[in-house]
Amino acid sequence: MNHRRIPKRRAALAGAGVAALIAAGFTFQNANASDAPKAEAPHTLSVAAAGKLASSIDKDLGADTAGTYYDAKAKHLVVNVVDEKAAKTVQAAGARARIVRHTLGELASARTTLKKDATIPGTSWATDPRSNKVVVTADKTVSKAEWAKLTKVVDGLGGRAELRRTKIEYKPFLAGGDAITGSGVR
Protein backbone atom coordinates (compact mmCIF):
# COMPACT_ATOMS: atom_id res chain seq x y z
CA MET A 1 0.00 0.00 0.00
CA ASN A 2 1.30 3.34 -1.01
CA HIS A 3 0.70 6.34 1.21
CA ARG A 4 0.74 9.77 -0.22
CA ARG A 5 0.80 12.99 1.61
CA ILE A 6 -2.02 15.49 1.05
CA PRO A 7 -0.74 18.95 0.29
CA LYS A 8 -1.44 21.54 2.99
CA ARG A 9 -3.45 23.63 0.60
CA ARG A 10 -5.82 20.77 -0.19
CA ALA A 11 -6.15 19.88 3.52
CA ALA A 12 -7.06 23.49 4.34
CA LEU A 13 -9.75 23.55 1.62
CA ALA A 14 -11.21 20.27 2.85
CA GLY A 15 -11.29 21.55 6.45
CA ALA A 16 -12.96 24.78 5.37
CA GLY A 17 -15.57 22.80 3.45
CA VAL A 18 -16.37 20.63 6.49
CA ALA A 19 -16.64 23.73 8.70
CA ALA A 20 -18.97 25.39 6.18
CA LEU A 21 -21.23 22.30 6.11
CA ILE A 22 -21.44 22.21 9.91
CA ALA A 23 -22.22 25.95 10.09
CA ALA A 24 -24.89 25.59 7.40
CA GLY A 25 -26.50 22.74 9.35
CA PHE A 26 -26.92 24.96 12.41
CA THR A 27 -28.19 27.87 10.33
CA PHE A 28 -30.86 25.84 8.51
CA GLN A 29 -32.08 24.27 11.75
CA ASN A 30 -32.79 27.71 13.19
CA ALA A 31 -34.16 29.24 9.98
CA ASN A 32 -37.77 28.25 10.67
CA ALA A 33 -37.74 29.27 14.31
CA SER A 34 -39.47 32.67 14.28
CA ASP A 35 -41.94 34.80 16.16
CA ALA A 36 -45.70 34.32 15.86
CA PRO A 37 -46.98 34.59 12.30
CA LYS A 38 -48.22 38.00 11.21
CA ALA A 39 -51.83 38.56 10.16
CA GLU A 40 -52.49 37.44 6.63
CA ALA A 41 -52.65 40.23 4.08
CA PRO A 42 -55.96 40.74 2.27
CA HIS A 43 -56.31 38.79 -0.95
CA THR A 44 -56.35 40.60 -4.28
CA LEU A 45 -59.86 39.97 -5.61
CA SER A 46 -61.98 40.64 -8.66
CA VAL A 47 -65.34 42.34 -8.14
CA ALA A 48 -67.18 39.03 -8.59
CA ALA A 49 -64.90 37.18 -6.17
CA ALA A 50 -65.25 40.00 -3.63
CA GLY A 51 -69.05 39.74 -3.87
CA LYS A 52 -68.96 36.00 -3.19
CA LEU A 53 -66.56 36.47 -0.28
CA ALA A 54 -68.76 39.26 1.16
CA SER A 55 -71.81 36.95 1.07
CA SER A 56 -69.85 34.21 2.81
CA ILE A 57 -68.51 36.53 5.51
CA ASP A 58 -71.97 38.06 6.08
CA LYS A 59 -73.38 34.56 6.67
CA ASP A 60 -70.55 33.65 9.06
CA LEU A 61 -70.61 36.85 11.13
CA GLY A 62 -74.26 37.87 10.95
CA ALA A 63 -74.88 40.94 13.12
CA ASP A 64 -71.15 41.45 13.75
CA THR A 65 -70.67 42.98 10.29
CA ALA A 66 -71.39 46.63 9.64
CA GLY A 67 -71.35 46.68 5.85
CA THR A 68 -68.87 45.82 3.12
CA TYR A 69 -67.41 47.56 0.11
CA TYR A 70 -64.91 46.84 -2.63
CA ASP A 71 -61.75 48.95 -2.68
CA ALA A 72 -61.21 49.08 -6.46
CA LYS A 73 -57.80 50.72 -6.20
CA ALA A 74 -56.31 48.07 -3.89
CA LYS A 75 -58.61 45.29 -5.23
CA HIS A 76 -59.56 44.24 -1.69
CA LEU A 77 -62.86 43.51 -0.03
CA VAL A 78 -63.25 45.72 3.05
CA VAL A 79 -65.57 44.45 5.78
CA ASN A 80 -66.71 46.79 8.55
CA VAL A 81 -66.86 45.08 11.93
CA VAL A 82 -67.42 46.28 15.48
CA ASP A 83 -64.93 44.14 17.44
CA GLU A 84 -61.51 42.44 17.27
CA LYS A 85 -62.92 38.89 17.24
CA ALA A 86 -64.90 39.59 14.07
CA ALA A 87 -61.87 41.39 12.58
CA LYS A 88 -59.76 38.25 12.99
CA THR A 89 -62.43 36.14 11.29
CA VAL A 90 -62.56 38.58 8.36
CA GLN A 91 -58.76 38.61 7.99
CA ALA A 92 -58.62 34.82 8.08
CA ALA A 93 -61.15 34.75 5.23
CA GLY A 94 -58.91 36.95 3.08
CA ALA A 95 -60.59 40.35 3.37
CA ARG A 96 -59.50 43.58 5.04
CA ALA A 97 -61.23 44.23 8.36
CA ARG A 98 -62.09 47.76 9.44
CA ILE A 99 -63.35 48.37 12.96
CA VAL A 100 -66.17 50.92 12.97
CA ARG A 101 -68.46 52.51 15.52
CA HIS A 102 -71.97 51.70 14.24
CA THR A 103 -73.58 48.35 13.42
CA LEU A 104 -75.89 47.87 10.45
CA GLY A 105 -78.75 47.62 12.96
CA GLU A 106 -77.94 51.06 14.35
CA LEU A 107 -77.78 52.52 10.85
CA ALA A 108 -81.09 50.85 9.93
CA SER A 109 -82.60 52.40 13.07
CA ALA A 110 -81.33 55.80 11.92
CA ARG A 111 -82.98 55.27 8.52
CA THR A 112 -86.26 54.38 10.25
CA THR A 113 -86.09 57.59 12.29
CA LEU A 114 -85.40 59.58 9.13
CA LYS A 115 -88.36 57.99 7.36
CA LYS A 116 -90.65 58.71 10.31
CA ASP A 117 -89.47 62.24 11.19
CA ALA A 118 -87.80 63.68 8.07
CA THR A 119 -89.57 62.49 4.93
CA ILE A 120 -89.28 65.71 2.94
CA PRO A 121 -89.58 66.01 -0.84
CA GLY A 122 -86.20 66.76 -2.39
CA THR A 123 -84.22 64.57 0.01
CA SER A 124 -82.64 61.16 -0.20
CA TRP A 125 -80.64 59.03 2.19
CA ALA A 126 -78.38 56.05 1.82
CA THR A 127 -76.17 53.97 4.08
CA ASP A 128 -72.52 54.63 3.24
CA PRO A 129 -70.23 51.79 4.40
CA ARG A 130 -67.08 53.90 3.88
CA SER A 131 -68.18 56.58 6.34
CA ASN A 132 -70.24 54.15 8.46
CA LYS A 133 -73.11 56.65 8.45
CA VAL A 134 -76.44 57.31 6.79
CA VAL A 135 -75.84 60.15 4.35
CA VAL A 136 -78.83 62.47 3.98
CA THR A 137 -78.75 64.66 0.87
CA ALA A 138 -81.10 67.58 0.28
CA ASP A 139 -81.51 69.20 -3.12
CA LYS A 140 -81.99 72.92 -3.88
CA THR A 141 -85.79 72.71 -3.51
CA VAL A 142 -85.60 72.07 0.26
CA SER A 143 -86.62 75.29 2.06
CA LYS A 144 -84.84 76.86 5.04
CA ALA A 145 -87.53 75.58 7.42
CA GLU A 146 -87.25 72.04 5.99
CA TRP A 147 -83.43 72.26 6.19
CA ALA A 148 -83.73 73.25 9.87
CA LYS A 149 -86.01 70.24 10.49
CA LEU A 150 -83.54 67.92 8.71
CA THR A 151 -80.65 69.34 10.72
CA LYS A 152 -82.52 68.75 13.99
CA VAL A 153 -83.36 65.14 13.11
CA VAL A 154 -79.83 64.35 11.85
CA ASP A 155 -78.23 65.95 14.93
CA GLY A 156 -80.54 63.83 17.11
CA LEU A 157 -79.12 60.66 15.55
CA GLY A 158 -75.82 61.19 17.38
CA GLY A 159 -73.25 60.70 14.65
CA ARG A 160 -75.07 57.92 12.83
CA ALA A 161 -76.06 60.32 10.05
CA GLU A 162 -74.56 63.16 8.05
CA LEU A 163 -76.39 65.95 6.22
CA ARG A 164 -75.29 67.24 2.80
CA ARG A 165 -76.65 69.70 0.27
CA THR A 166 -76.59 69.27 -3.52
CA LYS A 167 -77.02 71.94 -6.19
CA ILE A 168 -79.04 69.70 -8.48
CA GLU A 169 -82.77 69.06 -8.23
CA TYR A 170 -84.11 65.56 -7.70
CA LYS A 171 -86.82 64.62 -10.19
CA PRO A 172 -89.11 61.62 -9.85
CA PHE A 173 -89.56 59.43 -12.90
CA LEU A 174 -92.64 57.35 -13.53
CA ALA A 175 -90.72 54.19 -14.49
CA GLY A 176 -87.85 54.71 -12.07
CA GLY A 177 -86.30 51.25 -12.34
CA ASP A 178 -85.37 48.55 -9.91
CA ALA A 179 -83.90 49.12 -6.49
CA ILE A 180 -80.20 48.50 -6.01
CA THR A 181 -79.46 46.39 -2.95
CA GLY A 182 -76.33 44.99 -1.34
CA SER A 183 -74.90 44.20 2.09
CA GLY A 184 -78.36 44.32 3.62
CA VAL A 185 -79.05 47.90 2.50
CA ARG A 186 -81.08 49.47 -0.28
Side-chain angles (χ1 to χ4, degrees):
M1 192 181 230
N2 248 345
H3 290 284
R4 277 199 281 163
R5 280 192 103 171
I6 299 175
K8 290 182 183 179
R9 187 179 205 180
R10 197 176 267 180
L13 280 173
V18 169
L21 285 173
I22 291 171
F26 285 116
T27 303
F28 289 138
Q29 285 177 356
N30 295 326
N32 289 329
S34 64
D35 295 332
K38 294 180 182 177
E40 187 176 323
H43 296 168
T44 301
L45 301 168
S46 67
V47 175
K52 289 179 184 176
L53 182 58
S55 295
S56 171
I57 290 173
D58 282 346
K59 284 180 187 175
D60 291 345
L61 293 178
D64 288 339
T65 63
T68 61
Y69 62 93
Y70 182 70
D71 183 347
K73 192 173 187 178
K75 298 186 187 234
H76 295 152
L77 173 66
V78 180
V79 180
N80 293 340
V81 294
V82 292
D83 61 32
E84 285 290 331
K85 182 181 176 190
K88 288 178 183 175
T89 303
V90 167
Q91 290 169 344
R96 184 175 150 239
R98 183 172 159 245
I99 297 179
V100 295
R101 183 174 173 195
H102 307 291
T103 66
L104 278 181
E106 291 171 337
L107 297 178
S109 171
R111 289 174 60 93
T112 301
T113 300
L114 286 165
K115 186 174 184 177
K116 183 178 75 152
D117 298 338
T119 299
I120 297 171
T123 62
S124 71
W125 51 82
T127 303
D128 179 16
R130 289 182 189 258
S131 68
N132 189 234
K133 294 180 180 181
V134 176
V135 178
V136 180
T137 307
D139 73 6
K140 65 183 184 177
T141 64
V142 174
S143 69
K144 287 183 182 180
E146 291 168 329
W147 180 263
K149 181 179 179 180
L150 275 172
T151 302
K152 183 179 178 183
V153 172
V154 168
D155 288 347
L157 293 172
R160 293 180 289 161
E162 172 184 330
L163 184 57
R164 296 180 184 170
R165 185 77 140 184
T166 182
K167 293 181 182 183
I168 63 166
E169 181 180 340
Y170 294 137
K171 295 179 182 180
F173 294 100
L174 191 53
D178 296 329
I180 300 171
T181 60
S183 298
V185 296
R186 179 179 172 163

